[in-house]
Amino acid sequence: MDGGGKAAVHCSITGTIAKLMSVPENAVTEPSIAVPIGDAVVAVERRDALGLRAWLLTAMLFLVPLVTYWPATFHDFGLRDDYSNLREAHEEPGKVIMFCASHARPIYGWLLQSTYGQTDSVQDLQWMRFTASLLLGALSLVSFRGLRALGWSFSTSLSFAVLLALIPSAQVMAGWAVGWPYVATALLAFGAFFTVEGALAVGLSAGPGRAVAQWLVATGLMVVGALIYQPSALFYVVPLAGALIVQRHRTLMQTARWAAIHLGFVVGTLGLAYCVMTVLYATGVFVKSGRVAFEHQWGEKLGWFLHETLPNGLSMFVLNDNNHREHALYIGGAAIVGMLLLAGAYREWRRYGHARGIVWLSGLLGLPVFACAVSLIASERYATYRTILAMTAVLLCFLVASIRALTESWGQSGRRMLAIIAVSIAFFTAQHHVYALIAVPQGNEWQLIMAGAKHVHLDGSHPRIFAIASTPADISTATIYHDEFGSLSSNSEWVPKEMFKRAMHDLHPEIANLDARYDFSSGPNLPVDQRFDVIIDLHRLRQFHTDN
């Protein structure tokens, strides 16, 4: 796709958003009345038009992530663990499952084993990334439908749903083949919330059997999600935040009781998942990793959260630059979002009273922290975007609602224009991040390895290959950002070997026991006292440097 093609597609999407945002809020809530036969025909036509609009809306919500991440999805590259996962899924079945289970994520391991086991080459990783984009579209759709069911307006729900698929957490999940189960977990958690909400609304009026079934289904969804990827299981909190924002009929005590039930359910189900893993470790089914440990230095952990994790969420679409080249933009973005959130809380208090102000502010301050609970409780301190999907989505929820409240006097056309501008910026930013900071630099590494592998001749000789490992100075991007944006895969002791194995396999899939036909080694420097048939100099990555 060329630049003009991307722009044309994007204009089509934003134009569709503008048209859909013009739908009257009460389009499907008007009371039915007795009408003559002629008017009944008009009513049927109107119902058909609404059905068509609903299908267009569904298509648009799926197209946004698909179009955004399309250039990166179908670029030829792998990213770090992709190479080892591909080999192990084919040559050592079960190893991926055992490794993930050692980190308390056995279902995640099974999903990776299943999908990598069906993937035959690095090029085919594109279908796993494509799946992630489809799942992001599904997450956008259920978020839109869910927020509408909770009482959000059409345009506000749509704005949140579209932006959700474009935040940095979603970008990483769309750009890395291992990321699609993270999105699937968020979908399970979203479904669990509405199952619990339905059980609370119906109570025992429909019979104890149905109530028990609803709670069991919700528990199953959360436990399965927790055994896939615990941080994404906390996406349960996102619709909770949406309900807290818009449902004002409860008193302060009723709201506290309702929220406590939901949060207690989350704690209980995550605790149940942990107990399941504890039993599996104790019985020797899996071996527990030393990385599965709880935090003890709470003061330092709180400082880490306030200094790294929370700003990553508040800055929304501005990435955290490790080298601080864009630090002012990053901090400025976080500060602006923070001020808008506080202004929204103040607006709620002034308009609906101090009780609602307390509810809003408590949710704003408490729910993002709860949504990051797994990272806070765990002893590790990695402020990666893939672990803060739930927290960023909660902040986005409050941000969209705050902007909606602060711009009420603008009129529908003004708010629509603001939404289109925000979506346009988010669209191009997300597309650039995944393509220019993940797909292209990772593709550069893969092409260097492939070029070296093509020079290896397996004609009876036993060639020796040496790869000079890359260093952080060899990056082909302007800088490195948090998580995988702009990072190197080959700056490692083991990844170059896995990359070369995969390259040889992709070039010679018909040769069995291929590893025995050559000798491969790597290191930071080329040994001066040894002779090699092929030398792969990964320092050449700097030749691909672009100031992006």
Side-chain angles (χ1 to χ4, degrees), residues 250-252 348-349 352-361:
R250 300 186 185 92
T251 65
L252 184 60
E348 184 78 4
W349 172 71
Y352 297 102
H354 72 278
R356 276 298 303 172
I358 292 173
V359 169
W360 184 291
L361 194 60

Side-chain angles (χ1 to χ4, degrees), residues 136-402:
L136 285 171
L139 187 61
S140 291
L141 178 62
V142 299
S143 296
F144 170 77
R145 298 294 186 191
L147 291 179
R148 287 290 285 153
L150 293 173
W152 280 49
S153 69
F154 183 96
S155 57
T156 312
S157 303
L158 184 58
S159 298
F160 172 82
V162 172
L163 292 173
L164 174 64
L166 303 176
I167 59 178
S169 297
Q171 295 168 24
V172 174
M173 295 173 188
W176 196 354
V178 301
W180 71 266
Y182 303 163
V183 191
T185 302
L187 283 166
L188 294 177
F190 202 91
F193 170 84
F194 280 96
T195 305
V196 171
E197 190 70 354
L200 293 176
V202 175
L204 297 177
S205 61
R210 176 175 175 178
V212 170
Q214 285 179 306
W215 283 102
L216 287 177
V217 168
T219 300
L221 291 173
M222 284 299 291
V223 170
V224 169
L227 296 178
I228 299 175
Y229 194 65
Q230 296 88 357
S232 288
L234 290 172
F235 200 86
Y236 184 105
V237 183
V238 177
L240 174 64
L244 195 71
I245 288 169
V246 77
Q247 295 179 356
R248 301 182 176 91
H249 60 277
R250 300 186 185 92
T251 65
L252 184 60
M253 290 305 298
Q254 288 173 337
T255 301
R257 190 181 308 114
W258 168 81
I261 292 173
H262 278 290
L263 297 180
F265 172 76
V266 174
V267 172
T269 51
L270 292 184
L272 178 58
Y274 180 78
C275 290
V276 169
M277 290 309 305
T278 300
V279 171
L280 293 175
Y281 291 143
T283 55
V285 176
F286 301 118
V287 178
K288 182 179 180 180
S289 169
R291 297 173 63 181
V292 180
F294 292 105
E295 180 63 59
H296 298 291
Q297 305 296 328
W298 291 103
E300 295 179 9
K301 195 58 172 282
L302 180 60
W304 166 82
F305 174 78
L306 295 175
H307 182 257
E308 293 193 45
T309 308
L310 184 59
N312 281 356
L314 284 173
S315 61
M316 289 295 165
F317 300 98
V318 181
L319 297 180
N320 188 353
D321 174 10
N322 287 1
N323 298 323
H324 302 293
R325 293 186 61 195
E326 302 170 3
H327 197 61
L329 181 61
Y330 169 74
I331 294 299
I336 291 173
V337 170
M339 288 188 291
L340 288 171
L341 292 172
L342 293 176
Y346 178 73
R347 174 79 172 179
E348 184 78 4
W349 172 71
R350 289 295 300 254
R351 185 170 183 179
Y352 297 102
H354 72 278
R356 276 298 303 172
I358 292 173
V359 169
W360 184 291
L361 194 60
S362 298
L364 175 61
L365 297 178
L367 291 182
V369 177
F370 189 90
C372 197
V374 171
S375 296
L376 287 170
I377 294 172
S379 61
E380 291 188 334
R381 299 176 187 177
Y382 296 124
T384 56
Y385 285 107
R386 59 202 129 125
T387 62
I388 62 169
L389 172 66
M391 186 188 75
T392 307
V394 169
L395 292 171
L396 179 63
C397 205
F398 276 98
L399 177 63
V400 171
S402 296

Side-chain angles (χ1 to χ4, degrees), residues 15 59 64 69 73 142 174 218 226 245 268 277 366 368 371 409 415 488 523:
V64 167
Y69 304 122
T73 297
V142 299
I245 288 169
M277 290 309 305
S409 61
R415 291 197 302 271
L488 293 169

